[in-house]
Amino acid sequence: MENNNYQQQQYYQQPQYYTTPGFQASDPVYLAKANELLKSAIIACVLAGFPVCSIIAIFKGMGNRKKVLEYLDKGGLHTPRIKISSILSRAATYYGIGSTVLYAIMFLYYALIIGFLIFSATSR
């Protein structure tokens, strides 16, 4: 009826990110720096969605990206947490620029509409 003869299968092995000799994933200096960079990048991404804060997010994202690059230049490890911090910092910068332009256009549009309404109401 059933043939349950299974061939030997190869098992998937998780990639090893921390290959530096003597590196501990629980190193408090690395974790503190990585968490600080990641927190700052996430905050910059959140701020980029709000009208006035989008300008702040541009500078916060650019500053955090510089910190990430300085950390890597000093010999810091290029782990997934650091990579994500760099990616989010760059995304916050570009998102902040786009949001600032969008909100400026929206502000001008609404200012023109209100101006036309006031002009049409007073011209009668």
Side-chain angles (χ1 to χ4, degrees), residues 52-99:
V52 177
C53 296
S54 63
I55 298 169
I56 297 169
I58 295 168
F59 296 109
K60 194 162 184 67
M62 287 175 18
N64 195 47
R65 175 102 166 118
K66 283 182 187 175
K67 287 180 187 177
V68 168
L69 294 177
E70 287 173 4
Y71 170 75
L72 292 173
D73 286 341
K74 291 179 183 176
L77 295 173
H78 206 322
T79 59
R81 191 174 288 186
I82 299 297
K83 290 178 188 178
I84 291 172
S85 299
S86 176
I87 291 167
L88 287 177
S89 297
R90 185 172 280 184
T93 302
Y94 294 138
Y95 183 32
I97 291 169
S99 294

Side-chain angles (χ1 to χ4, degrees), residues 6-11:
Y6 296 106
Q7 295 181 0
Q8 188 175 8
Q9 297 177 355
Q10 291 187 358
Y11 294 100

Side-chain angles (χ1 to χ4, degrees), residues 2 5 17 23 25 34 42 44 48 53-54 71 91 93 98 103 105 111 116-117:
E2 250 180 72
N5 295 328
Y17 292 113
F23 175 74
I42 291 171
C53 296
S54 63
Y71 170 75
T93 302
Y103 288 128
I105 292 170
F116 288 141
L117 287 175

Side-chain angles (χ1 to χ4, degrees), residues 3-70:
N3 185 3
N4 290 332
N5 295 328
Y6 296 106
Q7 295 181 0
Q8 188 175 8
Q9 297 177 355
Q10 291 187 358
Y11 294 100
Y12 177 74
Q13 184 177 4
Q14 290 287 337
Q16 299 296 323
Y17 292 113
Y18 308 111
T19 57
T20 305
F23 175 74
Q24 296 283 333
S26 62
D27 183 18
V29 176
Y30 161 74
L31 286 177
K33 187 67 173 175
N35 285 340
E36 173 194 343
L37 293 171
L38 189 59
K39 259 189 247 180
S40 181
I42 291 171
I43 290 170
C45 280
V46 169
L47 288 176
F50 297 104
V52 177
C53 296
S54 63
I55 298 169
I56 297 169
I58 295 168
F59 296 109
K60 194 162 184 67
M62 287 175 18
N64 195 47
R65 175 102 166 118
K66 283 182 187 175
K67 287 180 187 177
V68 168
L69 294 177
E70 287 173 4

